[in-house]
Amino acid sequence: MVVLDWMMPGMNGLDVCRAIRNFRGIPVIFLTVKSDEVDKLLGLELGADEYIIKPFSLRELAARIRVVLRRVQKPAPNEAVQTDRLEQGDLTVCFDRHAVLKAGKEVLLTHRKGR
């Protein structure tokens, strides 16, 4: 699962969501301050499984994550799934390293603790 902010430094969350949608079975939750109806609809139309507006409670986020994960189907046993990284064009998400690379260079991601 990817929890994604719409407005990120250096890249647009919508573009990242589009890239993730090329991979089967990876759910996406938008967590954003963009609360207009048109923004919600755009995020959902581009493939987000859930759209949560900031501020939010950690209990609500945890509940919505559980709901989305319940909907995700496990791949068939004969289907090969690459789980350690996701690649699309020059964008690579390394799940094992918790890192994102763009054109081979690591993208600085902000680290935030819960409120």
Side-chain angles (χ1 to χ4, degrees), residues 8-67:
M8 300 183 300
M11 44 174 65
N12 182 322
L14 294 175
D15 293 334
V16 175
C17 185
R18 277 189 207 104
I20 291 170
R21 277 294 142 236
N22 290 324
F23 296 87
R24 184 175 179 270
I26 299 176
V28 175
I29 293 179
F30 264 114
L31 198 74
T32 182
V33 297
K34 296 191 67 76
S35 61
D36 291 340
E37 181 181 31
V38 69
D39 296 327
K40 290 183 219 175
L41 294 173
L42 182 58
L44 293 168
E45 288 290 326
L46 287 176
D49 296 283
E50 188 64 72
Y51 195 98
I52 304 170
I53 299 168
K54 295 176 187 178
F56 60 92
S57 77
L58 291 178
R59 280 186 249 168
E60 177 187 5
L61 176 60
R64 290 178 185 253
I65 287 172
R66 285 192 298 273
V67 167

